[in-house]
């Protein structure tokens, strides 16, 4: 897993979709834009997409992308 904090965003490149990590994002305060690089995955499961949508909704609700 690669996590890089830049000045205005957080870049995250997971090796696998650890849903517990995404749940921790949902619990944490949002203070940056978030880039989640999923280019290494050929497919995603419906449950994965559900969690990613929740993360997206939280990030957008705080004015970030």
């Amino acid at each position: 897993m690669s996590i890089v904090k830049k000045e205005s965003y957080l870049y995250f490149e997971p090796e696998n979709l650890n849903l517990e990590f995404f749940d921790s994002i949902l619990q944490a305060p949002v203070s940056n834009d978030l880039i989640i690089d999923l280019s290494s995955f050929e497919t995603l499961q419906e449950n994965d997409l559900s969690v990613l949508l929740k993360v997206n909704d939280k990030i957008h609700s705080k004015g970030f992308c």
Side-chain angles (χ1 to χ4, degrees):
M1 167 178 13
S2 173
I3 300 174
V4 178
K5 182 163 177 40
K6 299 290 187 175
E7 187 173 316
S8 62
Y9 66 92
L10 180 65
Y11 175 86
F12 174 59
E13 186 177 6
E15 293 172 3
N16 58 47
L17 289 177
N18 179 345
L19 298 180
E20 292 163 0
F21 175 79
F22 290 109
D23 284 338
S24 69
I25 290 175
L26 291 171
Q27 302 302 319
V30 176
S31 60
N32 290 83
D33 292 329
L34 177 64
I35 298 172
I36 303 172
D37 183 349
L38 300 174
S39 63
S40 63
F41 296 94
E42 290 186 28
T43 62
L44 296 173
Q45 302 300 316
E46 189 172 328
N47 188 42
D48 300 333
L49 295 174
S50 174
V51 172
L52 290 171
L53 285 172
K54 289 178 185 176
V55 170
N56 182 62
D57 289 345
K58 179 177 182 178
I59 298 294
H60 277 255
S61 74
K62 301 298 182 181
F64 297 101
C65 62

